[in-house]
Amino acid sequence: MSPPGHDTEVAATARAAAEPAEPELFTRAAAHVMPTYGPPKVAFVRGQGAALFDTDGNTWLDLLCGLAVTSLGHAHPAVTEAVARQAATLVHTSNLHVTEPAVALAERLAELTGWPDAKVFLAQCGATANEAAIKLARKHGKAIHPDKVRVVALEGSFHGRTLATLEATGQPAKHAPFAPLAGFVDHVPHDDPDALRAAVGDDTCAVLLEVVQGEGGVRPLSPEMLAAAREACDAHDALLLADEVQTGIGRTGTWFAFQGTEVVPDVITLAKALANGLPIGACVAHGHAATVLGPGDHATTFGGNPVTCAAALAVLDTIEGQGLLQQANSRAKRLRAGLEALVGAAPYATGVRGRGLLLGLELDAAVAGQVEAACRDRFLLVNAVGGDVLRLAPPLIITREEVDLALAAIAEALQAVADANAA
Ligand SMILES: Cc1ncc(COP(=O)(O)O)c(C=O)c1O
């Protein structure tokens, strides 16, 4: 695929310097990197906008954004400039002190959520943001009753890989190697409001959910499910925690996915796209929830790091200043319409689900992994979630031409898989 960005001299020099011999890189990785992610398939050396460049000089179209992270595209100049400026000014002080970027980011998140009384705990990633939210909820519960520490979460959910967030994750296969876990989470189906109401009781301190389940197959929760969660929390003095690690920062068409629903959570968690690829997480609470954690309750050395916070501020300013939510919504319409046009016209495609630029192409057979590989053969990055859904999470800055290129590659990939399976 042709590169959507222009190749600057600086970038070309950086690429030449960074270019390793690909087989050697894979061999070195196999020798000394823990194989928790399975064997790598591509070695990338550079990115620009929606394009990635590999060690063989191929140009890829990135419709995955490093799993919903690089929403402004690769090497966005506003982020690069903010990181360079802050790195040359102040990198770390510890949280015994306070810095302008961390405070400014907390203020911006309070403004964008529409929660003037919001308080923010800054973490390093999605799991650590969720850990903060779970601890907050447990402290809230224990203040009411010592046993009020249970969490209700949803089957198919994904909340992280630390022990508490792994337990909250509603995917038993991921628990198995580490069981027994602490046993404080009850899971209910993602589409059963009655089961959710029945599971929430006086020993529940929180309901934790994703407004659109990402890893679980790009599954938006129904308005009934969200309303049941809010009502059950209100009835039992529990907090509603919305994990917006994947859906936040414009991914589903609003700053935060809950803003596209009728339901307001007590706490949201953010990470992924917040700093366009720099490691950051945030737990944002308002109302009573904002008052729960106090001195000594929670801490982390790198939370509120000035460089990552400066990057996050650049992300938020760019999205706002360049009207990227509106632009992303228009691209989302085009992408969704193109995917819908494949339904009935291309093999396997049966439907489209998701919201904004977090979309899933539903397939009528467990061939999503094959389709992902066939897209890779065409230098297009998408990924299979579950056996029968193809996830697309392009950058908010994707162009119309790139959307059309991606759609053409997906159509070809579906046909190629059908041909291969028929042979
Ligand atoms: C909804 C959700 N929550 C939490 C996480 C965990 O985030 P991290 O990998 O940054 O710890 C993810 C990661 O995919 C996620 O999608």
Side-chain angles (χ1 to χ4, degrees):
M1 268 174 204
S2 58
H6 61 279
D7 199 1
T8 63
E9 207 178 311
V10 174
T13 312
R15 181 184 51 207
E19 245 168 51
E22 186 180 316
E24 195 214 5
L25 191 59
F26 288 156
T27 310
R28 283 164 50 209
H32 291 297
V33 178
M34 277 196 198
T36 55
Y37 301 101
K41 299 187 175 65
V42 194
F44 289 115
V45 290
R46 189 171 69 87
Q48 177 135 37
L52 278 166
F53 304 89
D54 70 19
T55 43
D56 293 332
N58 298 306
T59 302
W60 294 65
L61 184 52
D62 184 2
L63 249 71
L64 209 51
C65 269
L67 298 172
V69 171
T70 50
S71 284
L72 295 190
H74 298 282
H76 192 284
V79 179
T80 306
E81 199 274 327
V83 167
R85 186 171 21 87
Q86 189 60 44
T89 308
L90 182 67
V91 172
H92 180 80
T93 64
S94 97
N95 284 307
L96 299 177
H97 314 290
V98 73
T99 64
E100 171 65 28
V103 177
L105 179 57
E107 288 169 346
R108 281 306 296 284
L109 292 174
E111 182 196 318
L112 295 173
T113 47
W115 298 338
D117 63 341
K119 288 216 165 41
V120 179
F121 179 85
L122 291 168
Q124 299 92 344
C125 62
T128 52
N130 283 335
E131 284 279 341
I134 292 168
K135 281 182 72 178
L136 185 159
R138 285 173 65 106
K139 188 175 177 211
H140 154 79
K142 277 180 78 95
I144 298 168
H145 189 280
D147 295 336
K148 192 173 175 63
V149 292
R150 299 198 67 75
V151 171
V152 173
L154 304 188
E155 290 171 7
S157 61
F158 186 81
H159 299 294
R161 302 284 195 152
T162 60
L163 280 172
T165 60
L166 175 68
E167 174 154 2
T169 291
Q171 301 183 35
K174 291 189 167 63
H175 296 182
F178 308 101
L181 299 177
F184 70 95
V185 182
D186 303 305
H187 289 100
V188 298
H190 75 276
D191 56 356
D192 190 339
D194 289 338
L196 185 133
R197 279 188 208 98
V200 177
D202 287 340
D203 60 354
T204 305
C205 67
V207 172
L208 172 63
L209 51 76
E210 298 155 89
V211 176
V212 180
Q213 289 191 337
E215 304 301 305
V218 192
R219 259 195 293 251
L221 297 193
S222 67
E224 295 74 28
M225 196 66 187
L226 290 169
R230 183 67 273 176
E231 282 158 25
C233 285
D234 291 345
H236 293 278
D237 247 335
L239 298 177
L240 180 57
L241 317 179
D243 176 343
E244 295 245 21
V245 165
Q246 188 156 155
T247 54
I249 320 299
R251 170 80 19 222
T252 66
T254 45
W255 277 107
F256 311 105
F258 83 84
Q259 292 169 330
T261 77
E262 297 295 313
V263 163
V264 180
D266 299 294
V267 177
I268 61 168
T269 51
L270 305 168
K272 288 192 179 281
L274 180 54
N276 208 50
L278 279 92
I280 194 167
C283 168
V284 186
H286 71 123
H288 160 71
T291 67
V292 173
L293 292 181
D297 283 334
H298 201 44
T300 177
T301 298
F302 292 121
N305 173 272
V307 178
T308 53
C309 290
L313 286 165
V315 167
L316 302 178
D317 286 348
T318 303
I319 293 177
E320 198 163 58
Q322 297 187 359
L324 288 183
L325 290 184
Q326 293 86 328
Q327 181 180 314
N329 280 323
S330 127
R331 298 295 180 273
K333 267 193 203 133
R334 190 180 188 96
L335 181 58
R336 190 172 195 123
L339 291 172
E340 279 164 355
L342 293 178
V343 175
Y348 303 117
T350 53
V352 181
R353 64 193 192 211
R355 235 175 250 156
L357 283 175
L358 181 57
L359 293 173
L361 179 64
E362 299 166 350
L363 308 174
D364 63 5
V367 292
Q370 279 180 282
V371 179
E372 175 189 320
C375 287
R376 219 167 25 245
D377 292 342
R378 290 159 178 79
F379 301 111
L380 174 71
L381 288 180
V382 292
N383 88 321
V385 277
D388 58 0
V389 179
L390 200 66
R391 174 173 48 176
L392 284 67
L396 307 188
I397 50 92
I398 195 164
T399 64
R400 289 184 194 85
E401 295 70 28
E402 287 163 344
V403 167
D404 296 345
L405 275 173
L407 287 165
I410 292 168
E412 271 185 38
L414 289 164
Q415 191 58 56
V417 171
D419 292 346
N421 289 344

